[in-house]
Amino acid sequence: MPEYNELIVNGRSTGDLPFFCGVEENSAPTRAEKKNKYHDLDMVNSVAVQTIEAWSSVSKTYQFYIHDATKADVRKLKAFIGYSGWFTPFDDPEIRYVFVNAVFSSEPLDEFNGYTVTVTFTCEPFEYEAEKVSTLGSSITNHTTAPMYPKVVITGNVATSTFLQIGSQRMTFPSGMDTKVTIECKHGLQNVFDKSGNAINSKVRGPFFEIEPGTNVVTKGTGITSIQITERWGWL
């Protein structure tokens, strides 16, 4: 857990750097927006909304105060943060922000005392809780304000058609399944794999799972003996 004025980046704290590095300006709260399209039509009051089930990235900006440091130390900070990964701020220690880019700028305090370094992170839309793996029962409750895109591992053995349904979404295996199937539902990584790790998307039917806020009933077909789920709860 980060101490006051520290940032945990990819599991390491800025407080462990070999020079003082404090968070001087914290990022304000943000909220992701859907990638909806708005059409200003002549015969429609206001605008017509085309709903798109995807969210834009968010920017999180932090300013660091680096005391009694050199240009070499600034380079160490840049290498420490990198270009992608996750971070946890000191004022929200239960949340992780997943970032896909980090842009740096810096200014000297004076000739001797150090630098202020501004880092702007381009983050995924949601504020994530720590991932956890559990066994899926007869229902799953999404306690957050955002949909959740899990990884689901199904075990069982059946030669005839079977299925898994979570909420209103059903994925069917028309030819059955052999031992284990892994379903990765995260956007950009969506795939279904067999027990050997081979992609078998063409052998399944139906949508990838999106766990909506609220209670989602789980129903499994013949031959499925257990369901393991990686929970990735996030907040808008």
Side-chain angles (χ1 to χ4, degrees):
M1 183 171 293
E3 299 292 335
Y4 181 72
N5 274 10
E6 291 183 5
L7 208 66
I8 301 294
V9 183
N10 294 323
R12 301 178 299 162
S13 172
T14 53
D16 295 332
L17 289 166
F19 48 87
F20 177 80
C21 178
V23 178
E24 188 172 36
E25 290 186 17
N26 203 353
S27 181
T30 56
R31 181 177 180 177
E33 297 295 330
K34 274 192 173 182
K35 294 182 178 180
N36 293 344
K37 294 183 179 180
Y38 302 91
H39 305 280
D40 193 358
L41 305 177
D42 290 341
M43 304 302 292
V44 176
N45 291 330
S46 185
V47 294
V49 180
Q50 180 183 353
T51 300
I52 298 175
E53 294 302 324
W55 280 262
S56 299
S57 62
V58 296
S59 293
K60 302 283 289 180
T61 300
Y62 292 83
Q63 188 174 78
F64 298 91
Y65 169 67
I66 304 179
H67 181 66
D68 196 21
T70 65
K71 290 182 179 179
D73 293 325
V74 175
R75 288 192 289 270
K76 290 177 183 177
L77 176 61
K78 290 193 290 186
F80 174 86
I81 291 177
Y83 288 98
S84 63
W86 61 270
F87 67 88
T88 294
F90 68 90
D91 60 341
D92 207 359
E94 304 302 323
I95 291 295
R96 289 184 178 185
Y97 295 92
V98 176
F99 66 98
V100 296
N101 193 29
V103 177
F104 292 77
S105 63
S106 61
E107 296 181 359
L109 295 172
D110 54 41
E111 292 298 324
F112 305 102
N113 287 335
Y115 295 84
T116 58
V117 179
T118 301
V119 183
T120 300
F121 297 95
T122 300
C123 300
E124 291 188 7
F126 306 142
E127 302 173 347
Y128 291 103
E129 298 178 4
E131 290 187 4
K132 65 177 182 179
V133 179
S134 64
T135 300
L136 197 58
S138 59
S139 67
I140 182 170
T141 299
N142 182 347
H143 62 283
T144 75
T145 57
M148 191 268 283
Y149 306 98
K151 180 168 72 174
V152 180
V153 179
I154 305 172
T155 55
N157 201 328
V158 60
T160 57
S161 180
T162 191
F163 69 92
L164 174 64
Q165 182 164 336
I166 304 177
S168 62
Q169 299 166 326
R170 175 181 291 213
M171 182 173 283
T172 302
F173 306 87
S175 301
M177 57 171 292
D178 180 15
T179 311
K180 184 175 79 168
V181 172
T182 301
I183 307 166
E184 175 55 77
C185 301
K186 190 172 184 179
H187 282 195
L189 300 175
Q190 292 175 333
N191 260 312
V192 183
F193 301 98
D194 64 14
K195 63 180 181 179
S196 300
N198 301 309
I200 56 170
N201 295 36
S202 62
K203 297 182 180 180
V204 301
R205 300 290 183 270
F208 288 89
F209 297 111
E210 180 177 298
I211 313 299
E212 295 290 347
T215 299
N216 298 261
V217 175
V218 177
T219 309
K220 61 183 180 182
T222 303
I224 296 177
T225 55
S226 69
I227 308 165
Q228 187 182 77
I229 183 170
T230 300
E231 302 173 7
R232 299 160 170 157
W233 303 116
W235 295 83
L236 283 170

